[in-house]
């Protein structure tokens, strides 16, 4: 908090003097002359992250004109939210032990963005021990992706996710690279259209590089939705305004193949389809 007060507060105050008054309502405290650090002390770091992201969404929907000043302002809001999130995730040097022998596992499930069983168990002071401890204390998988169910039966969700682990890792890498630098396509997929898809997809998101769990969940969503690179190409071309015939010519495929792909995308989550 001392560093935020010393470094961030003056920078935010100076920056806000260069903007019209209407922008102040999108930075916590700026409209009332309250420092950024004071708002954090009042509401806490976690609440500040949620507040800043909500204000960012409102700005994009109501004020953003896509010019250089607004892009810089959006980048500033994202940086402030990322700062609050990073501070919230940082473990204090001195902290009371809690959970299972003070364990604070930071591991995620190998197959998604949920915490592994051991972390959930260790962070919950009210857990009781039982016959399913072997499942709950996994260091690799969450409850949804345990290899075996509590009944001893094979977990179909685990088997499906395990078969697609290479695809999951690939999509996660693309998301991480693009999220780290939103300004231009950075997914490094090897295909310009796929890179453009990831660029446009993350421009519509407020997820930050520090949101590792959310990025992992989005990678799992892409894999489970069977969103192939071909479908990504079709989606970004459709988003660019091309019709089915134009998309087919651009990709060198039959128009029927484009139509079939678009029909299969009807059940895909809306945010993956690049729709508002």
């Amino acid at each position: 908090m001392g560093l935020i007060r010393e470094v961030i507060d003056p920078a935010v105050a100076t920056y806000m003097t260069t903007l019209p008054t209407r922008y102040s309502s999108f930075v916590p405290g700026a409209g009332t002359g309250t420092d950024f650090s004071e708002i954090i002390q009042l509401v806490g770091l976690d609440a500040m992250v949620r507040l800043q992201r909500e204000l960012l969404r409102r700005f994009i929907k109501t004020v953003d004109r896509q010019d250089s000043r607004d892009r810089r302002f959006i980048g500033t809001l994202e940086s402030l939210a990322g700062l609050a999130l990073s501070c919230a995730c940082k473990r204090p040097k001195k902290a009371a032990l809690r959970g299972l022998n003070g364990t604070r596992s930071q591991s995620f499930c190998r197959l998604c963005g949920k915490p592994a069983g051991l972390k959930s168990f260790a962070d919950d002071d009210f857990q009781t021990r039982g016959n399913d401890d072997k499942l709950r204390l996994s260091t690799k998988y969450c409850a949804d992706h345990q290899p075996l169910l509590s009944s001893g039966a094979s977990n179909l969700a685990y088997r499906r996710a395990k078969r697609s682990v290479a695809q999951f890792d690939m999509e996660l890498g693309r998301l991480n690279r693009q999220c780290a630098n939103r300004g231009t396509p950075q997914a490094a997929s090897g295909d310009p259209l796929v890179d453009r898809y990831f660029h446009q997809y993350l421009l519509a998101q407020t997820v930050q590089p520090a949101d590792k769990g959310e990025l992992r969940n989005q990678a799992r969503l892409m894999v489970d939705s069977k969103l192939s690179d071909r479908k990504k190409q079709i989606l970004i071309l459709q988003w660019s305004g091309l019709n089915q015939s134009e998309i087919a010519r651009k990709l060198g495929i039959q128009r029927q193949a484009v139509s079939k792909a678009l029909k299969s995308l009807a059940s895909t989550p809306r945010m993956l389809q690049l729709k508002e």
Side-chain angles (χ1 to χ4, degrees):
M1 291 305 303
L3 284 172
I4 292 176
R5 189 180 304 110
E6 179 182 345
V7 178
I8 302 302
D9 286 350
V12 171
T14 301
Y15 176 57
M16 294 308 298
T17 61
T18 67
L19 299 172
T21 305
R22 66 177 184 277
Y23 286 74
S24 298
S25 59
F26 299 99
V27 177
T32 60
T34 307
D35 288 334
F36 190 73
S37 61
E38 292 182 56
I39 300 296
I40 292 178
Q41 286 180 319
L42 288 173
V43 303
L45 286 164
D46 290 330
M48 173 59 86
V49 174
R50 294 191 296 271
L51 172 61
Q52 190 63 79
R53 286 178 173 172
E54 177 59 29
L55 292 175
L56 175 59
R57 281 191 288 268
R58 292 182 184 179
F59 176 81
I60 292 174
K61 290 181 178 180
T62 62
V63 179
D64 184 21
R65 297 179 180 177
Q66 299 291 319
D67 57 20
S68 60
R69 181 173 66 186
D70 285 353
R71 288 195 296 271
R72 189 179 301 112
F73 186 67
I74 290 172
T76 300
L77 297 186
E78 290 177 341
S79 296
L80 291 176
L83 171 67
L85 178 63
S86 296
C87 291
C89 293
K90 184 175 176 60
R91 184 178 179 180
K93 289 184 178 180
K94 295 181 180 180
L97 294 179
R98 55 181 290 220
L100 182 64
N101 295 327
T103 302
R104 276 197 171 184
S105 171
Q106 298 297 318
S107 61
F108 292 102
C109 172
R110 175 65 182 88
L111 304 172
C112 70
K114 294 181 180 179
L118 179 60
K119 177 174 174 57
S120 295
F121 187 84
D123 285 351
D124 191 340
D125 295 322
F126 300 99
Q127 283 275 17
T128 58
R129 297 177 66 85
N131 294 329
D132 59 345
D133 277 351
K134 288 184 179 179
L135 298 180
R136 289 188 295 164
L137 299 185
S138 171
T139 59
K140 291 184 178 180
Y141 306 110
C142 65
D144 293 340
H145 291 121
Q146 291 290 348
L148 298 176
L149 302 174
S150 57
S151 63
S154 178
N155 186 356
L156 293 179
Y158 163 79
R159 290 164 58 185
R160 285 194 297 266
K162 192 68 173 177
R163 286 195 296 267
S164 62
V165 67
Q167 183 73 16
F168 170 77
D169 289 341
M170 182 177 69
E171 301 290 25
L172 179 60
R174 294 170 172 179
L175 286 167
N176 279 321
R177 288 190 291 272
Q178 185 59 54
C179 191
N181 189 347
R182 296 169 182 267
T184 57
Q186 297 289 336
S189 67
D191 185 288
L193 290 176
V194 175
D195 288 353
R196 282 181 58 199
Y197 171 86
F198 278 95
H199 179 222
Q200 188 58 43
Y201 172 73
L202 282 174
L203 281 180
Q205 309 290 324
T206 58
V207 63
Q208 298 292 317
D211 299 332
K212 298 184 183 300
E214 179 58 25
L215 287 170
R216 294 177 69 85
N217 282 332
Q218 292 191 18
R220 172 50 54 194
L221 179 64
M222 286 184 176
V223 174
D224 289 348
S225 300
K226 296 181 171 29
L227 189 66
S228 64
D229 282 357
R230 176 64 80 193
K231 290 180 179 178
K232 295 186 186 80
Q233 293 172 334
I234 291 173
L235 283 172
I236 192 62
L237 290 173
Q238 183 188 53
W239 178 87
S240 300
L242 276 63
N243 59 36
Q244 292 187 19
S245 298
E246 292 169 332
I247 292 173
R249 285 195 296 272
K250 180 76 173 179
L251 298 178
I253 59 178
Q254 296 293 322
R255 189 189 66 79
Q256 290 83 352
V258 175
S259 177
K260 183 178 179 180
L262 289 174
K263 286 181 180 179
S264 69
L265 285 165
S267 59
T268 302
R270 190 175 181 84
M271 69 177 186
L272 295 178
Q273 299 181 47
L274 302 183
K275 294 180 180 179
E276 295 295 334

